[in-house]
Amino acid sequence: MSNSQHIHPLAQELNTILAPCIAGRLLSELGSRLYFPKGIIAQSAEAKKYGKTANATIGMAVNHGQPLILSALQDQLPSLSPGEAVGYAPTAGNPELCQVWLDSIYEKNPSLKGSQITMPILVPGLTAGLFYLADMFLDDDSVLLTGAPAWDNYVLIAETRRNATLKGFSMFKDGKFDISGFGEAVREQAKTGTVRMLLNFPQNPSGYTPTKTEAAEIVKIITETAEDGADVLVWCDDAYFDLDYENDIEPQSLFAYLANAHERVLAVKIDGPTKEDYVWGLRTGFLTFGSKGMNKEQYDALIKKFTGAIRCSVSCTATPSQSLLLKTISDSRTEQEKKAFKELLKERYQVVRKFIDSHKDSTVLEALPFNSGYFMSIKCKGIAAEELRQKLLHEHGIGTVSIDERHLRVAFSSVDTEKIEMVYNTIFSTAEELRKK
Ligand SMILES: Cc1ncc(COP(=O)(O)O)c(C=O)c1O
């Protein structure tokens, strides 16, 4: 923890509460300085409860208990009250929405039953959740393990913003998840006494989720590492949760197994409706913590620090997004429509699967294992992925992403089902042409 001279007494109070547990040992310098002020927001929340005569705390223009609202805006949001449309939301999110999300986490992850986890904190999108975690837990000398290749935002968050090191472990070997490579990377890092890792399943860019057996092995490696004396921080980026298209896939988040695994394991679930509920632009996400070793007072202290991080950056997440989401989640049509959307994505996956399975003999392109999510990636052999991307785009009008020199990512989620075969035929024939050049 930091010896910085800028530690506020309130931060010190939280640090003292957290010191005996894993969260206290893992805090970055910035994390150890953070606290939630007993200022405007806290006093305003108190006034909301007890200020029955008048509430002169918050910086909004209020008339007879409702915020003022322009008619043009109210007309566009007819289902929202002025408070639901333009009032400030609490720093850590609309409590009703956070409770609904907590209930859904337990429902989607039955293995969590009996585990004590925190109330999800609402943040403006999963990216913001990752960014706050980086603030709280990464310093210059921290190493964050993640599967390689990874989503390109991870390196931007961990290295560019926080000056930490993002270290990739190889995801696959011989066409399968490389569990021994994962174990070696974790054990190597455990020699420093601390392992920080970011696991993202279904993974971006490969579109892979571990099978039930592989998931159990990952959890075993993490638990054994903790038993051997290292502190293990696991970020579970569940952005694409539930989009699984094969029967042997682990259906629950790894968080379900790690939240109560060992007192030296601190698990964080980063999830949200962005992809799960098809609301990319609403900008809402959640951070939920679980550790066998932490009690309620320590959880509260940790949440206060995160709430401080939100307060000093974006202050709070947009209110209309939260109000609309709450109504959407509880709408009777939502579950059925989500099932239909998932079926559509599964159908696209199956068309891609069929094409890839019938092109296994290609010597220039090889698909990485994929079974879930929005994407799949193709390894380029003897040609550059960027050159392939350029040719596909400029000669055929097909947009893809070259994620590094050797890998091309294809988001089949955003291609109409009837175009998929043509797109893949073009990718494979263009790669052949490039190789012959
Ligand atoms: C692995 C992963 N995590 C997080 C996100 C971002 O989610 P959000 O749009 O809610 O910030 C994405 C989006 O592409 C992603 O692929």
Side-chain angles (χ1 to χ4, degrees):
M1 237 186 246
S2 168
N3 294 320
S4 162
Q5 49 186 323
H6 296 296
I7 298 231
H8 188 281
L10 287 174
Q12 194 48 58
E13 227 174 81
L14 300 176
N15 293 347
T16 305
I17 295 170
L18 290 170
C21 70
I22 179 169
R25 294 193 294 276
L26 287 169
L27 287 179
S28 65
E29 281 210 23
L30 171 53
S32 66
R33 288 198 300 274
L34 280 165
Y35 64 95
F36 188 64
K38 287 191 175 146
I40 299 161
I41 301 294
Q43 293 176 37
S44 170
E46 214 180 332
K48 222 174 180 179
K49 236 175 167 178
Y50 305 109
K52 301 296 174 207
T53 309
N55 182 357
T57 58
I58 198 80
M60 294 193 324
V62 178
N63 202 20
H64 300 305
Q66 287 285 1
L68 298 180
I69 185 165
L70 295 168
S71 310
L73 184 59
Q74 183 67 81
D75 285 354
Q76 292 174 77
L77 298 168
S79 68
L80 304 186
S81 70
E84 290 171 327
V86 294
Y88 277 131
T91 313
N94 174 334
E96 207 185 327
L97 177 58
C98 294
Q99 182 64 52
V100 166
W101 197 259
L102 177 68
D103 296 345
S104 80
I105 289 178
Y106 276 112
E107 201 181 303
K108 293 179 242 178
N109 298 278
S111 297
L112 268 177
K113 197 163 179 223
S115 298
Q116 290 305 316
I117 58 175
T118 65
M119 177 64 76
I121 306 172
L122 190 136
V123 290
L126 279 81
T127 308
L130 293 162
F131 159 95
Y132 291 125
L133 285 173
D135 272 3
M136 285 285 283
F137 295 121
L138 299 183
D139 277 313
D140 283 12
D141 57 356
S142 308
V143 172
L144 183 64
L145 292 178
T146 199
W151 184 38
D152 62 2
N153 217 358
Y154 288 169
V155 72
L156 200 59
I157 292 170
E159 298 198 345
T160 310
R161 267 199 67 86
R162 295 297 297 155
N163 208 27
T165 302
L166 187 73
K167 196 167 168 184
F169 58 85
S170 114
M171 281 274 292
F172 306 109
K173 195 173 171 189
D174 304 329
K176 285 190 170 155
F177 185 76
D178 186 2
I179 193 75
S180 64
F182 171 74
E184 270 165 41
V186 173
R187 281 188 287 275
E188 186 57 35
Q189 202 51 44
K191 289 179 189 163
T192 66
T194 309
V195 185
R196 294 174 170 85
M197 69 177 87
L198 169 45
L199 301 178
N200 161 228
F201 301 123
Q203 203 238 9
N204 178 1
S206 67
Y208 189 76
T209 301
T211 61
K212 289 172 194 147
T213 317
E214 289 163 346
E217 285 179 272
I218 293 171
V219 171
K220 185 162 174 263
I221 288 168
I222 291 171
T223 311
E224 284 174 357
T225 306
E227 282 164 0
D228 290 345
D231 285 324
V232 191
L233 173 67
V234 189
W235 306 6
C236 302
D237 179 342
D238 292 342
Y240 302 89
F241 185 79
D242 190 42
L243 295 173
D244 45 359
Y245 313 127
E246 299 285 354
N247 291 333
D248 58 348
I249 291 178
E250 170 56 56
Q252 295 185 62
S253 166
L254 289 182
F255 178 80
Y257 301 104
L258 295 168
N260 199 24
H262 193 277
E263 57 194 29
R264 282 190 177 277
V265 175
L266 174 59
V268 197
K269 187 173 186 355
I270 306 113
D271 63 7
T274 304
K275 322 269 175 179
E276 272 191 56
D277 295 322
Y278 307 89
V279 291
W280 309 274
L282 280 193
R283 310 313 301 145
T284 47
F286 295 92
L287 281 182
T288 312
F289 297 86
S291 177
K292 194 176 187 177
M294 287 179 66
N295 59 35
K296 180 160 182 339
E297 190 190 20
Q298 291 163 338
Y299 275 159
D300 287 348
L302 187 61
I303 287 200
K304 277 203 178 116
K305 280 186 174 283
F306 270 89
T307 313
I310 297 170
R311 174 65 175 151
C312 68
S313 51
V314 297
S315 192
C316 60
T317 300
T319 305
S321 298
Q322 301 182 48
S323 308
L324 293 169
L325 193 59
L326 191 54
K327 289 180 197 292
T328 304
I329 291 176
S330 49
D331 192 295
S332 60
R333 294 166 295 182
T334 296
E335 206 181 311
Q336 256 332 93
E337 286 178 16
K338 276 179 66 178
K339 268 194 192 140
F341 290 177
K342 181 176 170 180
E343 270 311 304
L344 177 71
L345 294 179
K346 186 173 179 178
E347 186 184 275
R348 292 179 184 172
Y349 162 81
Q350 284 167 338
V351 179
V352 179
R353 177 91 266 158
K354 197 168 161 213
F355 184 96
I356 293 297
D357 286 352
S358 61
H359 287 73
K360 281 201 164 129
D361 52 354
S362 166
T363 53
V364 61
L365 295 182
E366 182 191 336
L368 298 185
F370 68 108
N371 54 15
S372 52
Y374 276 27
F375 317 105
M376 54 84 66
S377 286
I378 307 175
K379 190 162 145 188
C380 302
K381 299 193 253 184
I383 60 168
E386 176 59 11
E387 217 179 322
L388 177 57
R389 182 187 80 84
Q390 293 276 354
K391 207 169 156 63
L392 285 167
L393 187 61
H394 297 298
E395 291 179 20
H396 302 280
I398 293 174
T400 54
V401 174
S402 64
I403 47 181
D404 55 30
E405 302 92 78
R406 288 191 308 151
H407 295 96
L408 190 80
R409 190 190 79 170
V410 187
F412 58 79
S413 59
S414 61
V415 180
D416 291 343
T417 313
E418 55 277 17
K419 283 190 187 162
I420 288 180
E421 199 171 342
M422 173 273 294
V423 165
Y424 277 82
N425 257 321
T426 314
I427 293 173
F428 274 66
S429 60
T430 308
E432 287 295 343
E433 268 174 48
L434 266 180
R435 230 256 303 263
K436 280 185 200 134
K437 239 179 35 181

